[in-house]
Amino acid sequence: MAPRNLLITGATGTVSGALLDQLSGRGIRLRALVRDPAKAEPLQRRGVDAVVADLGDPRSLPAAFDGVDDLWLLTPNDPRSPEHSMNAIWAARQSGVERVVRLSAVGAAVDAPTRSGRLHALSDHELEVSGLRWTILRPHWFMQNLFNEAGDIAEHGVVRLNLADGRVGMIDARDIAECAAAVLLDETSRHDGRIYTPTGPRSLSLREVAEAAEGELRRPVRYEPVGDADVERRLSGFGVPDWTVGMVTEYARAYASGWGTSSPVTSRRSPVARRAVSNGSSPIIERRSSADQTLYIGSEATCLGPQTKTTPTNRVSRSRT
């Protein structure tokens, strides 16, 4: 049987980059879509067929989608996200793509408390009724978001966020990639029409996160709840767009209200799914998150040292939900 051709969007981002690592050498022909030609060369050196195209420009997509069997669909978290997803789904249909695995957002729904969740709900529904085989992942809060607090932890021993005493179901982005890889490597139909919510084994408060960091760094670290305006000023100072600043505030308010509590990986059958799916246990495993989310802080403790400098670009790229 010939290897399947997989197109990965968002290829230079945190999750898609980890997915490329997961799928390298696994018998799949990998193609990566990038907007910046300068970012194509490093992927090509890894043996990835990197193509330059833009989900915001549908005219650029036919060549990128030509011959593709499976699509990993990840769109930027901005006001044009539904447009980008629409363009990708249309290109997939026109090119004969068979299956789409889409990265959505936790709690995506038309009545979600965040603009991101509401926009993702539109794209999720469009994929569900597209006639393509599909699977949707709606992961909880990325552990990598904690990198955004590295500077304050290193310099002041404090985590300053506006989540009050809310608890958050955290997951390492590499585990999300592992979930996606498990689906993409499974050529059966048992993941078709499934919506998965990857998360960690238990919800954590930011006080517990600070305590874990303190234990690993062997110096005092505390959580200091702050107001929305404080976080918004910081984000704006780093050049984060107003739309994204508002989205982050909406997520913070939702988590502060108790919206972010979770249990380990859950899945449900979409009411509009077209194919029968087996009820067998899912191979989706969250190895880095399964024992305890605090282990992540230990494995990445060097990133919290005083020598670490987090640039504004990195702060934006690492923050999703």
Side-chain angles (χ1 to χ4, degrees), residues 128 131 197 285 312:
E128 291 177 26
T197 302
I285 300 170

Short mmCIF file of all heavy atoms in Angstrom, two decimals, residues 128 131 197 285 312:
data_model
loop_
_atom_site.label_atom_id
_atom_site.label_comp_id
_atom_site.label_asym_id
_atom_site.label_seq_id
_atom_site.Cartn_x
_atom_site.Cartn_y
_atom_site.Cartn_z
N GLU A 128 -18.03 19.48 9.84
CA GLU A 128 -18.94 18.36 10.11
C GLU A 128 -19.88 18.09 8.95
O GLU A 128 -20.25 16.93 8.71
CB GLU A 128 -19.73 18.63 11.39
CG GLU A 128 -18.90 18.59 12.66
CD GLU A 128 -19.71 18.94 13.90
OE1 GLU A 128 -20.94 18.72 13.88
OE2 GLU A 128 -19.12 19.46 14.87
N GLY A 131 -18.97 16.69 4.12
CA GLY A 131 -18.92 15.47 3.34
C GLY A 131 -17.59 14.75 3.42
O GLY A 131 -17.43 13.65 2.87
N THR A 197 -11.68 15.96 23.53
CA THR A 197 -11.25 17.07 24.39
C THR A 197 -10.04 16.63 25.18
O THR A 197 -10.16 16.17 26.32
CB THR A 197 -12.39 17.50 25.34
OG1 THR A 197 -13.53 17.88 24.56
CG2 THR A 197 -11.97 18.69 26.21
N ILE A 285 -3.22 8.98 24.18
CA ILE A 285 -2.56 8.91 25.49
C ILE A 285 -1.84 10.23 25.73
O ILE A 285 -1.22 10.77 24.82
CB ILE A 285 -1.54 7.75 25.52
CG1 ILE A 285 -2.25 6.42 25.26
CG2 ILE A 285 -0.80 7.70 26.84
CD1 ILE A 285 -1.29 5.27 25.04
N PRO A 312 8.58 39.31 22.66
CA PRO A 312 7.16 39.51 22.40
C PRO A 312 6.62 38.54 21.38
O PRO A 312 5.51 38.05 21.51
CB PRO A 312 7.11 40.97 21.89
CG PRO A 312 8.31 41.62 22.50
CD PRO A 312 9.35 40.55 22.57
#
